[in-house]
Amino acid sequence: SEVGAIYFYHSSGQSVLHGVCGYDCCTTNSNNFQFGYIRVNNAISNKIYVNYSSIVRCVNENSSPWQMLTLEYGKICCSSVNSSLNKCYYRSGITCWPSSDSSVTCSLTYSSFTDNYAAGSVCIVLNTESANFEMKSCNILRSAQGDVGTEGTVFTTGNLNIYDSCILENTATYIFYQGSSSYTITLSNCTVDKTSSNGYLTTQNTVTKSFI
């Protein structure tokens, strides 16, 4: 099938996933969505929320599907999401393409992205140029990728602020990758073991130490 579990595409609707458990989901097509694809109208008045949900052990041994969970357009909010122990070709954690606005249109909070593997590259993708993204109190741990020199563990093309998060033991040449020279990534009060980037990274009160 084209999508492993959830497909929602609506020009005027909205989507809320609450308390969803995705386990051992797998698409049989290449270049498609391992767990889910949700798209709404391209306006911040529409919403895509994912709350208190887990996507775990969704593995395709052929490493062909692209993207674990993709959320497109509207205002995206993910709170208390666990995306872990997943394996696909590209974008093994989550992919967000929110609508663009001067306010924050994509927020990931109290969420964990751990032990994910991309045979190609990238764990978390926040990919709308000129959009504003934020991550608060999140864990990004032990994510790995086959092509370590391509893009990074966290990829964005907009302004991204990461607060009070733990980002450790990830395997990539660039942990933070900014795809647009017009925008920046800012770390504030985070615990990290590596701040490698392709540039455009600012750190504020960030503790660099081993995980205890």
Side-chain angles (χ1 to χ4, degrees), residues 8-212:
F8 180 88
Y9 187 123
H10 202 291
S11 61
S12 60
Q14 303 184 81
S15 173
V16 177
L17 302 183
H18 185 89
V20 172
C21 180
Y23 181 84
D24 197 24
C25 299
C26 179
T27 176
T28 57
N29 287 354
S30 61
N31 301 338
N32 281 300
F33 307 97
Q34 181 85 306
F35 173 73
Y37 175 73
I38 298 173
R39 176 174 171 171
V40 298
N41 187 46
N42 188 7
I44 62 169
S45 56
N46 292 278
K47 66 184 179 184
I48 299 177
Y49 288 178
V50 184
N51 302 322
Y52 303 103
S53 296
S54 289
I55 304 164
V56 297
R57 294 190 185 276
C58 295
V59 172
N60 187 314
E61 293 298 337
N62 295 323
S63 302
S64 57
W66 290 37
Q67 309 181 52
M68 188 58 53
L69 171 63
T70 296
L71 311 175
E72 188 169 359
Y73 294 155
K75 186 172 185 177
I76 297 171
C77 294
C78 298
S79 178
S80 300
V81 172
N82 176 28
S83 178
S84 299
L85 297 165
N86 299 308
K87 178 181 178 181
C88 62
Y89 182 76
Y90 191 50
R91 304 175 179 179
S92 58
I94 194 169
T95 302
C96 300
W97 302 69
S99 298
S100 180
D101 189 75
S102 58
S103 63
V104 173
T105 57
C106 180
S107 178
L108 309 180
T109 59
Y110 302 103
S111 295
S112 290
F113 306 91
T114 65
D115 298 293
N116 294 305
Y117 177 75
S121 61
V122 190
C123 178
I124 298 171
V125 175
L126 307 172
N127 195 20
T128 300
E129 193 165 338
S130 78
N132 289 295
F133 302 91
E134 68 176 15
M135 297 182 67
K136 292 182 177 180
S137 302
C138 290
N139 295 314
I140 307 171
L141 307 174
R142 298 180 301 276
S143 292
Q145 56 191 58
D147 189 350
V148 295
T150 302
E151 298 180 347
T153 302
V154 180
F155 174 91
T156 185
T157 56
N159 284 315
L160 169 60
N161 290 295
I162 305 176
Y163 308 96
D164 306 313
S165 295
C166 187
I167 306 167
L168 296 168
E169 298 181 18
N170 299 288
T171 303
T173 300
Y174 305 116
I175 302 302
F176 308 97
Y177 194 101
Q178 175 56 259
S180 172
S181 60
S182 299
Y183 304 100
T184 60
I185 300 171
T186 302
L187 297 179
S188 299
N189 298 318
C190 293
T191 299
V192 299
D193 57 4
K194 186 163 63 170
T195 57
S196 59
S197 71
N198 68 323
Y200 319 107
L201 176 69
T202 300
T203 60
Q204 298 176 351
N205 301 320
T206 294
V207 179
T208 303
K209 64 180 182 181
S210 299
F211 181 70
I212 300 176

